[in-house]
Amino acid sequence: MPLFGTWTLGAFLVLALWGLAYGAVPVALQTWLFNAGPEAANENGSGMFVAVFQSSIAIGSLLGAVMVDASGTRTAMYAGAAPATAALALTALAARRSADRQATTRTEGS
């Protein structure tokens, strides 16, 4: 947003991309949780998921507010983009490794 926020179409595109990406997070995380095993999909696992997810939102909001007070919104946005980019890269790497493992398992099983 610091790069494209002054341009109306750019701001719209950034917000639309963020909304689509963030909207997929809870669904993807719950899918991973439920695929982890039957014991993970019980009430305790679901409750823990909600607690951790909501706690992370609260902690991120607190840290973001402290950062905005200390150095302004631009710094807070870049500071939030850095771990989000790192998480995206790690997720892509994990997905690729998982796909490679599945392909290897299928090849060995045939």
Side-chain angles (χ1 to χ4, degrees):
M1 192 59 79
L3 298 175
F4 301 109
T6 58
W7 178 43
T8 304
L9 181 59
F12 174 79
L13 292 174
V14 169
L15 286 174
L17 179 64
W18 173 253
L20 289 171
Y22 186 74
V25 169
V27 175
L29 289 175
Q30 284 183 334
T31 301
W32 286 344
L33 174 71
F34 294 149
N35 286 333
E39 65 279 350
N42 66 19
E43 298 85 20
N44 295 334
S46 295
M48 183 62 73
F49 170 79
V50 171
V52 169
F53 197 77
Q54 295 297 324
S55 297
S56 65
I57 291 172
I59 291 168
S61 298
L62 174 65
L63 294 175
V66 169
M67 192 167 296
V68 167
D69 282 345
S71 26
T73 57
R74 183 176 291 268
T75 302
M77 287 186 188
Y78 283 127
T85 303
L88 178 62
L90 288 173
T91 301
L93 179 64
R96 182 176 176 150
R97 285 186 178 175
S98 177
D100 289 346
R101 269 187 256 133
Q102 288 177 354
T104 302
T105 303
R106 285 187 203 133
T107 304
E108 291 173 356
S110 298

